Amino acid sequence: MHKLYITGGRPLRGTVKISGAKNAALAIISASLLASEPVCLENIPFINDVSVLLDITANLGVTVERMGPNMVKISTPDSISTVTPYKEVKKLRASNLLLGPLLARFCNAEIALPGGCNIGTRPMDLHIKGLEAMGAQITLEHGFIKGSCSRLTGAKIYLDFPSVGATENIMMAATLANGQTVLENVAKEPEIVDLANFLNSLGAKVRGAGTDVIKIEGVQQLGGGRYPVIPDRIEAGTFMVAAAATGGDLLIEQVIPTHVEPLIAKLREANVKVFEQDDNIRVLSDEPLKAIDIKTLPYPGFPTDMQSQMMAMLTMVKGTSVIVENVFENRLQVADEFKRMGAKIKVEGRTAVIQGIKRLQGAQVKASDLRAGAALIVAGLIAEGDTEICNIRYIDRGYEGIEDKLVSVGAAIKRA
Ligand code: EPZ
């Protein structure tokens, strides 16, 4: 079982290039099943979650051809299997994004219910409510979501919560439905906009992505084409926080600054210098950091996927910082690992109160989920001495070659 070994105390300096966005790629790969012609996706990150989803779609009978390290061609014939096996799905929650496309194009879907994961129960009630409103019959049987329909029909749907996955599933399904779908109180993350742009590049009619209301006019079928996925704002954010925490001076390339605006604002509040250009960001941390308060919210609020990484940075910031996690019910657990490194953190419900200490001590720690793993890397980079991180398969789900990128900007980190 591989581990990451880090020796802390070295500021990150230099230039790092960001990979394609995991959460855009997973939705866009799922959406590719809607296309009647081949689709060529570029800037796809070479990470485990993507490999697993591509394997799942290939098992359905989709032709998946890797055209290069970050390019894949997907050809979906007019009839494929619509049953995803549990053994595959349990590895990847995002396989639930196949539900909308399979129903819309093949009028059938049997998807093993994705397990909960360490950050929360991850229900699908909003996905199901929306698809049922469009005429799908959906049942939950023996751990499977089973859906069937004749042709879906457009509907007016209000999401109780701006769920990213529900917005994506319903938007994808609506592209081939009969008539108009109006989707309200939707998620506004950049990955939603990227998915809408991808669908429109195939001939769909999606309007309003990125605002509170998305309108979709159903069409008969979608064509193919070539599409580059947006950069990963959470990978970019992770490097920005690592640069800030280590007192570094890092140029992050291939990023869209507006996508990380909420994080830039918080880093500046913490006395970090951030310089934005059109497709890169420089983070300079040459003065003592200030304690700050963070509340995670759906976009454009502060992203829950950056919460644990910020907690790592704040463990060594003089004063008291408060983090409130409003999106997932169980996403503060990485605090327990930081406490093993000497951090002073009090967690009650969805709130963590952090008293800054002089220095974390390196220790043996374990990742409990993807972003907790990334946060432990940040902690290892600033701790005194050596840190050993296990369960790094979680980290490999969402970061392409993270230790190579960190070594290239001065970190003492290796995988063994
Ligand atoms: C997506 O998950 C991302 N994953 C997550 O990133 C991200 O943290 C999350 O959005 C929020 O931004 C992918 O895009 C593959 P949600 P998703 O539906 O779609 C509740 C990472 O680290 N909810 O917006 O599952 C749910 O319980 C991952 O890259 C319902 O109640 O998130 C949660 O509390 C982690 N009913 C909240 O909404 C539903 O039907 C947000 O979930 C659906 C969701």
Side-chain angles (χ1 to χ4, degrees):
M1 188 67 78
H2 283 154
K3 292 181 181 173
L4 284 175
Y5 297 84
I6 304 171
T7 302
R10 296 160 64 133
L12 298 190
R13 289 209 180 94
T15 300
V16 69
K17 283 191 184 341
I18 298 303
S19 302
K22 165 176 91 80
N23 292 346
L26 294 174
I28 286 170
I29 289 167
S30 305
S32 299
L33 272 61
L34 293 162
S36 300
E37 305 294 328
V39 161
C40 191
L41 303 178
E42 299 167 353
N43 200 31
I44 293 287
F46 188 58
I47 53 178
N48 287 359
D49 272 9
V50 164
S51 303
V52 168
L53 184 58
L54 290 174
D55 288 348
I56 291 173
T57 53
N59 285 337
L60 295 177
V62 175
T63 304
V64 176
E65 299 162 79
R66 282 226 180 254
M67 314 293 281
N70 302 109
M71 193 188 293
V72 65
K73 185 177 174 186
I74 298 174
S75 311
T76 308
D78 282 334
S79 95
I80 58 171
S81 158
T82 58
V83 181
T84 62
Y86 176 71
K87 67 176 172 25
E88 293 291 330
V89 165
K90 67 176 189 277
K91 298 180 210 162
L92 179 67
R93 168 179 166 70
S95 44
N96 67 352
L97 295 176
L98 293 170
L99 184 59
L102 289 176
L103 281 175
R105 186 163 173 215
F106 305 101
C107 299
N108 211 312
E110 277 189 44
I111 297 185
L113 250 182
C117 63
N118 297 304
I119 60 178
T121 52
R122 315 299 290 275
M124 286 192 63
D125 55 306
L126 300 177
H127 300 239
I128 293 168
K129 200 169 107 180
L131 295 168
E132 284 178 336
M134 298 169 74
Q137 288 83 39
I138 295 181
T139 58
L140 304 183
E141 291 168 34
H142 311 297
F144 270 79
I145 289 186
K146 293 188 176 176
S148 66
C149 59
S150 48
R151 189 181 175 199
L152 292 172
T153 49
K156 192 167 163 53
I157 298 160
Y158 182 89
L159 291 180
D160 301 351
F161 179 89
S163 151
V164 169
T167 302
E168 291 168 341
N169 248 331
I170 298 165
M171 180 163 69
M172 289 188 284
T175 57
L176 295 179
N178 187 12
Q180 181 189 61
T181 297
V182 178
L183 193 44
E184 294 183 306
N185 192 34
V186 292
K188 298 185 275 193
E189 275 72 7
E191 292 76 27
I192 302 284
V193 177
D194 205 29
L195 174 60
N197 291 340
F198 170 65
L199 291 167
N200 287 337
S201 78
L202 305 178
K205 294 194 171 80
V206 181
R207 299 290 174 268
T211 73
D212 290 312
V213 181
I214 297 178
K215 287 184 182 167
I216 304 113
E217 298 296 336
V219 295
Q220 285 302 327
Q221 71 172 17
L222 295 180
R226 176 180 287 267
Y227 191 83
V229 158
I230 54 170
D232 194 314
R233 63 192 169 97
I234 305 300
E235 183 194 15
T238 304
F239 279 99
M240 290 165 67
V241 171
T246 56
D249 183 356
L250 191 64
L251 181 63
I252 291 131
E253 292 187 329
Q254 293 175 194
V255 61
I256 299 173
T258 49
H259 291 175
V260 284
E261 215 56 65
L263 175 65
I264 291 173
K266 277 297 164 187
L267 287 176
R268 285 177 173 152
E269 199 184 314
N271 201 30
V272 179
K273 298 182 181 72
V274 183
F275 308 97
E276 300 169 56
Q277 269 100 31
D278 51 359
D279 66 351
N280 61 55
I281 294 174
R282 181 184 170 206
V283 174
L284 171 61
S285 169
D286 57 0
E287 290 176 7
L289 300 180
K290 289 198 181 99
I292 54 173
D293 294 345
I294 292 172
K295 288 181 175 53
T296 68
L297 286 167
Y299 195 87
F302 188 89
T304 174
D305 292 349
M306 283 304 308
Q307 176 259 105
S308 299
Q309 298 91 314
M310 284 298 270
M311 191 190 291
M313 180 183 93
L314 294 169
T315 60
M316 283 175 44
V317 174
K318 194 168 170 352
T320 303
S321 301
V322 179
I323 293 180
V324 181
E325 170 54 59
N326 291 311
V327 176
F328 286 105
E329 65 268 26
N330 183 26
R331 206 178 195 175
L332 295 168
Q333 56 199 324
V334 70
D336 294 337
E337 295 303 298
F338 294 148
K339 286 191 234 179
R340 299 185 59 248
M341 301 173 78
K344 283 195 173 28
I345 306 174
K346 193 164 172 42
V347 174
E348 278 183 18
R350 290 179 175 237
T351 301
V353 179
I354 303 136
Q355 300 291 351
I357 63 167
K358 208 135 182 51
R359 192 89 193 266
L360 290 177
Q361 297 303 314
Q364 292 177 317
V365 291
K366 66 179 184 311
S368 57
D369 67 81
L370 165 57
R371 306 304 173 182
L376 288 168
I377 290 177
V378 174
L381 291 172
I382 57 178
E384 166 91 47
D386 297 336
T387 297
E388 188 183 299
I389 305 175
C390 68
N391 288 358
I392 59 173
R393 66 184 184 285
Y394 286 112
I395 299 171
D396 293 337
R397 288 185 46 201
Y399 291 92
E400 184 176 1
I402 189 160
E403 72 270 21
D404 299 336
K405 292 183 179 181
L406 284 167
V407 163
S408 74
V409 290
I413 179 172
K414 68 177 185 323
R415 176 185 295 248

